[in-house]
Amino acid sequence: MNCLISAGPTREWIDPVRFLSNPSSGKMGYALARAAVDRGMQVTLVSGPTALKAPAGAEVLYVETAREMQEAMSQRFAKADLIIMAAAVSDHRPETRSKQKQKKEQMRMTLDLVANPDILMELGKQKKNGQTLVGFAAETENLLPNARRKLREKNLDWIVANDVSEKDRGFQSDFNKISLLSKEQNEMDFEYQEKNSLARKYTSMLLLAT
Ligand code: CTP
């Protein structure tokens, strides 16, 4: 069985020394990749910039921008049985990327942004029978309603609802507390625990359902 996972942040460059990004460490996606390898899956990990070691046994494709991540994910998508979009994709990028470092005196004090593609939404449109598509919902409020809306709007089979408002979980942390919601309205709440053990538990769940 083939498993395709994205992890980490994307970087959207303003010029060669500045970018827009987010605090994602990639730990959850890498833990998922390790758990899927341990379950005997063929794993491809599409990773934004992180400080983590490549998970043994997985093929890793390194990308930086949302558009590079989209290209890597769509190339591998058709062959994948289980696709988990754990990356924290930057929703926007600067309208222009300057080739030269911009000097501070000459920089405009506002940044013009354009929308990045919603990678998961596009994968949801291409999904075929037999493929299981899983997304994350990183929320600071209205966690479950927002997660259910994303599950529906992005045509997902499962969504991992992740409260990122607390310091002791989510972005950067080794720990997390999540709920797994299915399109059939099932809800499984997992206890607060290390991302590694969490990944093992819900990878097993997802495999049973794939
Ligand atoms: N996602 C994506 N491409 C984007 C933005 C998000 O593929 N441009 C994916 C994420 O990897 C995640 C899911 O969509 O699996 C939800 O991401 P999240 O940041 O929670 O939500 P958004 O769709 O960006 O919506 P909002 O920022 O309004 O909460």
Short mmCIF file of all heavy atoms in Angstrom, two decimals, residues 6 66 85-91 116-121 134-139 149-150 154 159, ligand 1:
data_model
loop_
_atom_site.label_atom_id
_atom_site.label_comp_id
_atom_site.label_asym_id
_atom_site.label_seq_id
_atom_site.Cartn_x
_atom_site.Cartn_y
_atom_site.Cartn_z
N SER A 6 2.40 14.86 3.53
CA SER A 6 3.11 16.14 3.51
C SER A 6 3.34 16.60 4.93
O SER A 6 2.54 16.28 5.83
CB SER A 6 2.33 17.20 2.73
OG SER A 6 1.19 17.58 3.46
N ALA A 66 4.65 26.65 -1.43
CA ALA A 66 3.37 25.93 -1.58
C ALA A 66 3.24 25.38 -2.99
O ALA A 66 2.75 24.26 -3.19
CB ALA A 66 2.21 26.88 -1.27
N MET A 85 -2.38 15.08 4.46
CA MET A 85 -1.84 16.42 4.25
C MET A 85 -1.64 17.07 5.62
O MET A 85 -2.50 17.76 6.15
CB MET A 85 -2.87 17.19 3.40
CG MET A 85 -2.42 18.48 2.82
SD MET A 85 -1.28 18.29 1.45
CE MET A 85 -0.50 19.90 1.54
N ALA A 86 -0.44 16.79 6.21
CA ALA A 86 -0.16 17.33 7.55
C ALA A 86 0.62 18.63 7.48
O ALA A 86 0.89 19.25 8.51
CB ALA A 86 0.63 16.29 8.35
N ALA A 87 1.00 19.06 6.29
CA ALA A 87 1.80 20.29 6.16
C ALA A 87 0.98 21.52 6.53
O ALA A 87 -0.24 21.53 6.38
CB ALA A 87 2.30 20.43 4.72
N ALA A 88 1.68 22.52 7.03
CA ALA A 88 1.06 23.82 7.28
C ALA A 88 1.43 24.72 6.10
O ALA A 88 2.49 25.34 6.07
CB ALA A 88 1.58 24.41 8.59
N VAL A 89 0.55 24.71 5.12
CA VAL A 89 0.83 25.42 3.87
C VAL A 89 0.53 26.91 4.07
O VAL A 89 -0.53 27.26 4.61
CB VAL A 89 -0.07 24.88 2.74
CG1 VAL A 89 0.28 25.54 1.40
CG2 VAL A 89 0.04 23.36 2.64
N SER A 90 1.43 27.78 3.62
CA SER A 90 1.14 29.22 3.69
C SER A 90 0.01 29.53 2.71
O SER A 90 0.09 29.16 1.54
CB SER A 90 2.36 30.04 3.28
OG SER A 90 3.47 29.66 4.06
N ASP A 91 -1.02 30.18 3.22
CA ASP A 91 -2.17 30.46 2.36
C ASP A 91 -1.87 31.53 1.32
O ASP A 91 -2.55 31.61 0.30
CB ASP A 91 -3.36 30.93 3.22
CG ASP A 91 -3.92 29.77 4.03
OD1 ASP A 91 -4.12 28.69 3.45
OD2 ASP A 91 -4.15 29.95 5.24
N ASN A 116 -2.20 31.39 -2.45
CA ASN A 116 -1.58 30.14 -2.90
C ASN A 116 -2.68 29.14 -3.25
O ASN A 116 -3.80 29.27 -2.77
CB ASN A 116 -0.71 29.56 -1.77
CG ASN A 116 0.72 30.02 -1.87
OD1 ASN A 116 1.21 30.33 -2.96
ND2 ASN A 116 1.39 30.09 -0.74
N PRO A 117 -2.33 28.13 -4.03
CA PRO A 117 -3.33 27.09 -4.29
C PRO A 117 -3.67 26.36 -2.99
O PRO A 117 -2.81 26.22 -2.12
CB PRO A 117 -2.61 26.13 -5.25
CG PRO A 117 -1.16 26.45 -5.11
CD PRO A 117 -1.06 27.87 -4.69
N ASP A 118 -4.92 25.93 -2.84
CA ASP A 118 -5.27 25.05 -1.74
C ASP A 118 -5.01 23.62 -2.22
O ASP A 118 -5.80 23.04 -2.97
CB ASP A 118 -6.74 25.25 -1.33
CG ASP A 118 -7.07 24.50 -0.05
OD1 ASP A 118 -6.55 23.37 0.13
OD2 ASP A 118 -7.82 25.03 0.78
N ILE A 119 -3.88 23.08 -1.81
CA ILE A 119 -3.41 21.79 -2.33
C ILE A 119 -4.42 20.69 -2.02
O ILE A 119 -4.80 19.89 -2.88
CB ILE A 119 -2.03 21.44 -1.72
CG1 ILE A 119 -1.03 22.56 -2.02
CG2 ILE A 119 -1.52 20.10 -2.24
CD1 ILE A 119 0.30 22.42 -1.29
N LEU A 120 -4.87 20.68 -0.77
CA LEU A 120 -5.77 19.61 -0.33
C LEU A 120 -7.10 19.67 -1.08
O LEU A 120 -7.66 18.65 -1.47
CB LEU A 120 -5.99 19.76 1.18
CG LEU A 120 -6.73 18.64 1.88
CD1 LEU A 120 -6.06 17.29 1.66
CD2 LEU A 120 -6.85 18.93 3.37
N MET A 121 -7.60 20.88 -1.27
CA MET A 121 -8.87 21.07 -2.01
C MET A 121 -8.74 20.49 -3.42
O MET A 121 -9.64 19.81 -3.91
CB MET A 121 -9.19 22.57 -2.06
CG MET A 121 -10.44 22.93 -2.78
SD MET A 121 -11.86 22.91 -1.70
CE MET A 121 -11.80 24.55 -1.01
N VAL A 134 -6.82 12.46 3.81
CA VAL A 134 -6.89 12.94 5.20
C VAL A 134 -6.27 14.33 5.30
O VAL A 134 -5.18 14.57 4.78
CB VAL A 134 -6.09 11.99 6.14
CG1 VAL A 134 -6.26 12.40 7.60
CG2 VAL A 134 -6.52 10.54 5.94
N GLY A 135 -6.98 15.24 5.94
CA GLY A 135 -6.45 16.59 6.15
C GLY A 135 -6.33 16.91 7.62
O GLY A 135 -6.76 16.13 8.48
N PHE A 136 -5.74 18.05 7.89
CA PHE A 136 -5.66 18.56 9.25
C PHE A 136 -6.47 19.85 9.33
O PHE A 136 -6.57 20.56 8.33
CB PHE A 136 -4.20 18.89 9.62
CG PHE A 136 -3.46 17.74 10.21
CD1 PHE A 136 -3.14 16.64 9.43
CD2 PHE A 136 -3.08 17.76 11.54
CE1 PHE A 136 -2.46 15.57 9.97
CE2 PHE A 136 -2.39 16.69 12.10
CZ PHE A 136 -2.08 15.59 11.32
N ALA A 137 -7.00 20.15 10.50
CA ALA A 137 -7.59 21.46 10.72
C ALA A 137 -6.88 22.05 11.93
O ALA A 137 -7.03 21.54 13.04
CB ALA A 137 -9.08 21.34 10.97
N ALA A 138 -6.07 23.06 11.68
CA ALA A 138 -5.38 23.75 12.77
C ALA A 138 -6.23 24.95 13.15
O ALA A 138 -6.42 25.86 12.34
CB ALA A 138 -4.00 24.20 12.29
N GLU A 139 -6.78 24.93 14.35
CA GLU A 139 -7.73 25.97 14.74
C GLU A 139 -7.38 26.54 16.11
O GLU A 139 -6.84 25.82 16.96
CB GLU A 139 -9.16 25.40 14.82
CG GLU A 139 -9.63 24.65 13.59
CD GLU A 139 -9.82 25.54 12.37
OE1 GLU A 139 -9.92 26.77 12.52
OE2 GLU A 139 -9.85 24.98 11.26
N ARG A 149 -16.42 21.49 8.67
CA ARG A 149 -16.62 22.26 7.42
C ARG A 149 -15.49 21.95 6.43
O ARG A 149 -15.73 21.70 5.25
CB ARG A 149 -16.65 23.77 7.75
CG ARG A 149 -16.87 24.65 6.53
CD ARG A 149 -17.00 26.13 6.89
NE ARG A 149 -15.91 26.61 7.76
CZ ARG A 149 -14.69 26.90 7.35
NH1 ARG A 149 -14.36 26.75 6.08
NH2 ARG A 149 -13.76 27.33 8.20
N LYS A 150 -14.25 21.89 6.91
CA LYS A 150 -13.12 21.59 6.01
C LYS A 150 -13.22 20.16 5.47
O LYS A 150 -12.90 19.92 4.30
CB LYS A 150 -11.78 21.80 6.73
CG LYS A 150 -11.48 23.27 6.96
CD LYS A 150 -10.22 23.53 7.77
CE LYS A 150 -10.10 25.02 8.09
NZ LYS A 150 -9.01 25.34 9.00
N LYS A 154 -13.47 20.12 1.45
CA LYS A 154 -12.29 19.63 0.72
C LYS A 154 -12.46 18.17 0.29
O LYS A 154 -11.50 17.55 -0.15
CB LYS A 154 -11.03 19.84 1.57
CG LYS A 154 -10.80 21.32 1.96
CD LYS A 154 -9.41 21.63 2.45
CE LYS A 154 -9.34 23.06 3.00
NZ LYS A 154 -7.98 23.59 3.11
N ILE A 159 -10.56 13.96 8.90
CA ILE A 159 -9.79 15.17 9.23
C ILE A 159 -9.31 15.06 10.67
O ILE A 159 -10.00 14.50 11.54
CB ILE A 159 -10.60 16.47 8.98
CG1 ILE A 159 -9.67 17.68 8.97
CG2 ILE A 159 -11.74 16.65 9.99
CD1 ILE A 159 -10.20 18.86 8.19
N1 CTP B 1 -4.02 23.17 3.08
C1 CTP B 1 -3.55 23.01 1.79
N2 CTP B 1 -3.25 24.11 1.04
C2 CTP B 1 -3.41 25.35 1.55
C3 CTP B 1 -3.89 25.52 2.87
C4 CTP B 1 -4.18 24.41 3.60
O1 CTP B 1 -3.40 21.87 1.33
N3 CTP B 1 -3.11 26.40 0.80
C5 CTP B 1 -4.37 21.97 3.86
C6 CTP B 1 -3.55 21.76 5.12
O2 CTP B 1 -2.43 20.95 4.87
C7 CTP B 1 -4.56 21.05 6.03
C8 CTP B 1 -5.91 21.59 5.58
O3 CTP B 1 -5.71 22.11 4.28
O4 CTP B 1 -4.53 19.66 5.85
C9 CTP B 1 -6.49 22.66 6.45
O5 CTP B 1 -5.53 23.65 6.67
P1 CTP B 1 -5.83 24.87 7.66
O6 CTP B 1 -4.63 25.76 7.70
O7 CTP B 1 -6.39 24.35 8.94
O8 CTP B 1 -7.02 25.59 6.94
P2 CTP B 1 -7.19 26.48 5.67
O9 CTP B 1 -7.85 25.66 4.61
O10 CTP B 1 -5.91 27.17 5.32
O11 CTP B 1 -8.29 27.54 6.17
P3 CTP B 1 -8.15 28.74 7.27
O12 CTP B 1 -6.74 29.26 7.16
O13 CTP B 1 -9.18 29.70 6.81
O14 CTP B 1 -8.47 28.12 8.61
#
